[in-house]
Amino acid sequence: MAEFAFPHHPIKYPFHAFRGRLVQPFFWALFFLSPVLHLYQMDVIHQRLIAWGRVYPLNPVTLMWLPLGFFGCVVLIGLVSTFGGRLFCGWVCPHNTMTEWTYALRRWIGLGTLSFRQKQRERKRPWHKGVRIASSLLGAIALTYLISALFLFYFVPVSWFFHHLQAGTLPFIIWAGQALMMIIGLFMIYAGHEFCRNACPYGLLQSLSAYMSSKWIPMEIRYMFGSDQSACKSCHACQTACPVDIDPRNPENLVVGVGEGCFNCGECIDACSYVRAPQGEQKLLSFAPPTLSHGTTSHGREIAD
């Protein structure tokens, strides 16, 4: 059977709509607009800390709370990972959100499969490839500059930044910091989910939190019939929809970890529903809740009876 491809305006199933339309935009805005909205900002220019609209001086007592707050967030996300797997990556992580939103930029530069029209256009006009690459890079540079400015607002006031930008008096350290963040941002955009799967240290820490005990299984996406794939028509819709190109029918691919990298985003569940629902058939993939383990899986882990 031919490989599955979504139509231009696919039906949005619950997980896809909830994650893509609500959760990811909300946390993206929260991450990058917190200093603008005075929810959190460490103003090094005026030596003050702003938290939830309140101003605190940057003295030793205030600075003591910064690492405590950071490690508190790490512990909280670790607990979430223990029960829900690598949920932070798929639902909250700003890099993953940016990677999904900039898929068109990577495809436009040639890091994805070109459409039939693009291939035909480049055969007729060989110069089109250069235009395509240049426009993709210009878009990525504009995006990374915006992100670098939003990140910078965690440390300098917005009014101070724009005042010195318009006057041309921004310190060199600010320009250098933005340039460094833009280089990192360009790498993250074009590395895409390969960074998530193979290099992200935070993703590895989430995996360790989720699977540090052989007596516990966090929430996972599971294929209904285990190793029996006779009910599946092998349309590859689930794998096509997966942000990290995992085949969720193979249980070894669903172990949360670097190299596999399942985010529990639910895109494969939606894709399976999209294909099978019009035919009156039940989807073959679903979320399995956290559970204590008994028995052994095909990849050596214990599972519940």
Side-chain angles (χ1 to χ4, degrees):
M1 181 177 291
E3 184 174 337
F4 172 84
F6 281 110
H8 186 63
H9 295 291
I11 298 173
K12 301 298 185 183
Y13 279 82
F15 290 119
H16 184 110
F18 182 65
R19 187 178 75 98
R21 295 178 182 175
L22 297 176
V23 179
Q24 286 181 317
F26 171 77
F27 278 103
W28 176 270
L30 181 65
F31 279 126
F32 292 106
L33 295 183
S34 286
V36 178
L37 300 176
H38 300 295
L39 298 179
Y40 179 83
Q41 183 186 49
M42 190 170 65
D43 184 356
V44 296
I45 302 298
H46 301 100
Q47 296 293 299
R48 61 184 184 177
L49 174 69
I50 301 175
W52 298 102
R54 300 186 63 178
V55 179
Y56 303 91
L58 275 183
N59 53 38
V61 176
T62 303
L63 291 174
M64 180 185 68
W65 287 100
L66 297 180
L68 292 177
F70 172 78
F71 287 113
C73 292
V74 171
V75 171
L76 176 62
I77 296 175
L79 290 175
V80 172
S81 301
T82 301
F83 292 94
R86 205 167 162 176
L87 282 176
F88 178 85
C89 294
W91 292 71
V92 179
C93 175
H95 166 63
N96 178 66
T97 302
M98 181 180 66
T99 298
E100 293 186 16
W101 289 355
T102 56
Y103 170 76
L105 283 175
R106 291 190 302 281
R107 182 174 180 177
W108 192 241
I109 204 175
L111 295 178
T113 303
L114 295 179
S115 66
F116 176 77
R117 288 185 178 181
Q118 288 174 329
K119 292 179 180 178
Q120 291 294 101
R121 192 180 297 119
E122 290 191 1
R123 289 193 184 100
K124 297 178 180 178
R125 306 179 184 89
W127 52 266
H128 186 265
K129 182 177 181 180
V131 174
R132 181 163 52 80
I133 293 175
S135 61
S136 174
L137 286 173
L138 287 174
I141 289 172
L143 178 61
T144 52
Y145 179 79
L146 174 62
I147 293 174
S148 70
L150 291 172
F151 184 78
L152 188 66
F153 294 157
Y154 272 95
F155 304 99
V156 300
V158 178
S159 57
W160 180 92
F161 175 81
F162 282 109
H163 170 73
H164 286 276
L165 181 65
Q166 292 174 355
T169 56
L170 272 179
F172 174 77
I173 188 66
I174 298 294
W175 288 112
Q178 284 194 280
L180 177 61
M181 284 187 284
M182 288 176 65
I183 292 172
I184 295 174
L186 287 171
F187 166 76
M188 300 287 269
I189 286 177
Y190 289 113
H193 284 118
E194 289 302 314
F195 174 83
C196 304
R197 295 181 64 176
N198 302 309
C200 179
Y202 195 67
L204 177 59
L205 291 176
Q206 288 185 81
S207 303
L208 294 176
S209 298
Y211 290 98
M212 61 185 175
S213 173
S214 61
K215 302 297 182 182
W216 176 259
I217 297 177
M219 182 177 70
E220 292 181 336
I221 295 172
R222 293 189 189 147
Y223 178 68
M224 181 181 297
F225 298 111
S227 59
D228 180 12
Q229 298 188 9
S230 58
C232 179
K233 298 178 181 179
S234 297
C235 66
H236 299 289
C238 53
Q239 187 172 358
T240 302
C242 176
V244 287
D245 196 29
I246 289 174
D247 184 353
R249 299 170 301 169
N250 184 348
E252 293 188 8
N253 289 336
L254 295 180
V255 179
V256 179
V258 172
E260 291 84 12
C262 178
F263 296 163
N264 279 349
C265 64
E267 296 285 347
C268 57
I269 298 176
D270 291 348
C272 191
S273 298
Y274 179 82
V275 172
R276 295 179 66 87
Q279 304 169 11
E281 297 175 336
Q282 185 179 4
K283 63 178 182 280
L284 301 176
L285 297 167
S286 61
F287 279 115
T291 179
L292 292 175
S293 60
H294 305 284
T296 305
T297 67
S298 60
H299 45 70
R301 283 193 312 106
E302 297 179 342
I303 60 171
D305 294 329

